[in-house]
Amino acid sequence: MNTLFAADALLPGGWAKNVLLSWNEAGQLTQVQPAAPPAAGAPVAKGPVIPGMPNLHSHAFQRAFAGLTEYRAQQQDSFWSWRTLMYRFAARLGPQQMEAIATWLYAEMLEAGYTSVCEFQYVHHDADGRPYADDATLSLALLRAARKTGIGFTLLPVLYQASGFGGLPPNEGQRRFIRSTDSMLRLLDTLKPACEAQGARLGLAPHSLRAVPPDALREAVAGLEAIDPGAPIHIHIAEQTKEVDDCVAWSGQRPVAWLLDHAPVDARWCLVHATHMDAAEYERGAKSGAVAGLCPTTEANLGDGIFDFSAWRHHGGTWGLGSDSHATVNAAEELLMLEYSQRLAWRQRNVGASAAQPHVATALMLEAVRGGAQASGRAIAGLAAGQQADFVVLDAAQLALQGLPAPDMLSSHVFASHRTSAVDAVWVSGQPRVAAGRHALHNEAAAAFVAARSQLLLEN
């Protein structure tokens, strides 16, 4: 039996003192005992222990061009002009570059407090849009990156068929993404044993309502249910006002309303972004049991808009966090951006606090972990028996945290430190992946990432 003793630990019900964590060889927590005496020989955490954060939305390859689109390309830049640049970059990506970029990204995530990631994988084919000899080539590159770094993994191959509502033909920039529904279901069958072999979860991501026509959406969801009835389903939705307007023009309904009326949306589903909803959509979406997949730093970077967090919570909605395009790779930074966006929108402070948890960072972290676990389809919902032993140890000696009680240490980690500087150690499934703030592959993975990015930029 493996153990760790923590003077302070953030459990699903809140902070607890003198907590003994125990887990088995499979990396599953078997006991979480508050008010425990230190066990003989048990290591002692250097500071508060908090649950590992699930990252529910990632496009790994986009980390390689983060920071490279921060210039004006036309009179009024937007998500849509950014997307054109992203397509150009994706067109040159090869399997080795994908694996190198993802390996560095996943090591970064672990160093920044994420312990698992949902990979929304839509680059499927070669540069000419032809399937590789092994159709799963790029998905397998991502699985290898996850295995090497030790991050928990949910693979979400993306179904992408059209360039706009009504089944508009795909454009040239989308040629690497396009799959028939039958082809997608065959890919899922191929990937299932590979995922199971490393403890990863397999799901499906219909890209968006604009990219997946209604018949294909219905058939893909039915096909997934035949493979794994509980598998997670993620979809981009209502990210941009243009998307909402185009959906209304096509169907007479807003995107979230259309989805709720035409698909079996329930707790398996993650509505990624869902930024632009009306009052009825907030209520119906929250009550469906689906997770709202919020990506605050990417949504800010792309100028998407601000999610009405209070409305979603008011209706009992579940939510989680993703880093999406990876302009920022930092679990605490996403919490900070979420809270600050709400303060700016409502001109109030401490919007994220709850009746049960007056500390904003505590309240947001517990809710984000719970929602991220649901969206991941994995037992990673916090420090409780039966969940995976995924946790982060904060460094109580870090200047911003010194001398503070545990709830204030977490608050300082989120709002008053350099954030990653306060992360001392990260454990995934009971295995140490980060020590003294560094992943074992840090230097090697960073060098390979820089080489891959340089090659891609040279080819431009």
Side-chain angles (χ1 to χ4, degrees), residues 137-206:
T137 291
L138 291 172
S139 291
L140 291 173
L142 292 163
L143 279 164
R144 286 193 298 273
R147 185 176 65 247
K148 283 190 291 189
T149 57
I151 199 166
F153 204 63
T154 298
L155 179 61
L156 301 164
V158 173
L159 183 63
Y160 204 126
Q161 296 182 345
S163 65
F165 291 98
L168 295 178
N171 62 46
E172 184 65 14
Q174 297 162 338
R175 65 184 179 276
R176 301 192 70 177
F177 315 157
I178 304 304
R179 277 189 177 276
S180 69
T181 308
D182 287 344
S183 167
M184 172 55 67
L185 295 176
R186 288 195 299 272
L187 177 65
L188 294 179
D189 278 329
T190 299
L191 288 170
K192 192 167 189 275
C195 288
E196 291 173 347
Q198 68 182 70
R201 190 67 193 270
L202 181 66
L204 172 69

Side-chain angles (χ1 to χ4, degrees), residues 5 15 46 61 94 104 106 108 118 130 145 202 208 216 224 233 241 281 301 324 344 356 418 432 450 455:
F5 183 82
W15 287 99
K46 289 179 64 175
F61 78 92
W104 167 244
Y106 298 159
E108 274 192 291
C118 298
R130 296 184 299 250
L202 181 66
S208 57
L224 177 69
I233 304 168
T241 53
E281 288 173 307
N301 181 271
D324 195 348
L344 289 167
H418 296 299
V450 170
Q455 184 180 5

Side-chain angles (χ1 to χ4, degrees), residues 225-245:
E225 288 177 348
I227 295 168
D228 181 353
I233 304 168
H234 291 216
I235 186 169
H236 290 140
I237 197 157
E239 180 179 4
Q240 292 285 323
T241 53
K242 181 181 185 301
E243 177 189 345
V244 175
D245 294 342

Side-chain angles (χ1 to χ4, degrees), residues 2 216 290-291 331 411 422:
N2 304 282
V291 178
S411 295

